[in-house]
Amino acid sequence: MSFSDEYVVAGAPAAWGQRRRHPLAGREGDGGSQWLADPGRVAILDRGGRTAVLCYASLLVLLSSGISLERGVTLALIATLLWSVAVEATVRATGMRSVAAGATATTTLGIATGTIAFWVLSLSIPLGPRAILAAPLGVCACLAAIGWTKLVGRAARTRPTVLIVRAGRRTGVAELTRALALEAPDACDLMGVVDCDPDAPRLEGLPVHGGLDDLADVIRRTQPNVVVLAVDRKRLEVFRGLLDAAHLRMTVLGLAEFYEQMFGRVPIRNLTPAWFMSLLHPYRRRYAPFGNRVFDLVVALTGIVVTAPLLPLIAVLVRLTPGPAIYRQTRLGLRGAPFTIYKFRTMAVDAEASGAPAWALAADPRVTTVGRVLRRTRLDELPQFWNVLKGDMSIVGPRPERPEHLEALTESVPYWTTRLLVKPGITGWAQLRYGYADDSASSERKLAYDLWYVRHRSLWIDFVLCIKTLGHLVTGIGAR
């Protein structure tokens, strides 16, 4: 039995909540209303209210189109049923991948799927709706569902209560508590730790509820939503304690899975070989190469068609400085195979006159004025659509690295070569979440996000990351 998979004991918490306090603060105890402090009640309110607002919004649109009240009510109920089923199915299908999309994108995809189903159904049933109504219905439903979810999220007082089980000295618990305090101080309530190794160093600010023999009793007493296993020894004994409390409503996660759920990345320094073996698990949902290739071709061809008028203009602007418009460089592709990447040149031609490869810097003095604009808008990446068509790259994936940096990165960053298990991409989860990397330390941080993508990659994730990339192009956030 491995800690690299997600273990669910008697169900999962119904909601992780939105409005939350410091992770070391413990349970709510300010005397306020406790009704919205229960995850189950919040889930009921979210689903029930969403269904009501979907039905009301669709009924308004239908009645405003001149449909009779009786027929409008019937169609509104049908549409609401399709939307509700589609949203729930999307939430369940995305699972831990939802951290990449967020509630808004997940809800939007569900509503869009339900709207398509309603449009198809309207063509085959004798209820008389005009097919064109599907579009305004879908827009109104999407806005209503997202608005209701955000309203409930702001009003809810719930957040997951987390109990950590630690067995061993190098378990990464101290790093986890620091990450929560710095990056997600309102993400959950850390209730404390069950320390199965009395000789392990104490954790400052985190109460210890007992040892291994007390595990089942502590779970019964504290009733956490989530139990995080930071265990590198005494695994069988820990599982026996968990089984004694298996009738309680909780989710059990390994440390790496908790990082994935909370931060959208993995703890590089605390990964085990078992985590990588999970990539080969027979029950793991796989991303079919054919589907990935079709997605790449469709997006690349669409991108070329849409940006075709810009290409000559960009080329002319780049040529205002001496040198070619297109820059070619060798990069590492799938399984480390070298390939030639194409970009619009953004640096002076003598950027590496010394002959030694150098990291590109965030405010690199070698970048030209036009190149700085191209980098900020990522227009310098447009020629890489050709790399995608050739099959050297994907639309979504880790950024391809230079072979000159391979040795240094392999020595300084654990598991760095695992990112070569998938094709490099024009955009990716690490680029969106972390942005720029100019040394080994920042490359390690980006790898933490790249490995999250390697494990959870799917057509849905690629689609969402492309949409998010468009948003980054508009705002300039994450530009190199």
Side-chain angles (χ1 to χ4, degrees), residues 238-251:
V238 169
F239 272 117
R240 291 192 187 101
L242 291 173
L243 290 175
D244 289 339
H247 61 285
L248 300 175
R249 185 179 179 84
M250 63 181 177
T251 298

Side-chain angles (χ1 to χ4, degrees), residues 221-242:
R221 185 174 70 252
T222 58
Q223 296 189 12
N225 300 130
V226 182
V227 175
V228 177
L229 302 181
V231 179
D232 59 16
R233 56 192 299 266
K234 298 183 180 180
R235 298 184 178 186
L236 292 179
E237 293 89 339
V238 169
F239 272 117
R240 291 192 187 101
L242 291 173

Side-chain angles (χ1 to χ4, degrees), residues 157-240:
R157 302 172 55 82
T158 184
R159 60 180 173 270
T161 52
V162 178
L163 179 69
I164 299 176
V165 180
R166 180 174 72 160
R169 293 177 175 271
R170 300 175 60 86
T171 57
V173 175
E175 292 84 351
L176 172 62
T177 57
R178 282 196 296 268
L180 285 171
L182 293 174
E183 301 178 41
D186 59 349
C188 64
D189 283 336
L190 282 183
M191 307 176 68
V193 61
V194 175
D195 208 332
C196 302
D197 192 341
D199 297 328
R202 297 298 298 269
L203 299 168
E204 183 178 353
L206 198 61
V208 177
H209 292 287
L212 179 58
D213 295 337
D214 308 309
L215 177 56
D217 291 334
V218 171
I219 293 176
R220 294 189 191 99
R221 185 174 70 252
T222 58
Q223 296 189 12
N225 300 130
V226 182
V227 175
V228 177
L229 302 181
V231 179
D232 59 16
R233 56 192 299 266
K234 298 183 180 180
R235 298 184 178 186
L236 292 179
E237 293 89 339
V238 169
F239 272 117
R240 291 192 187 101

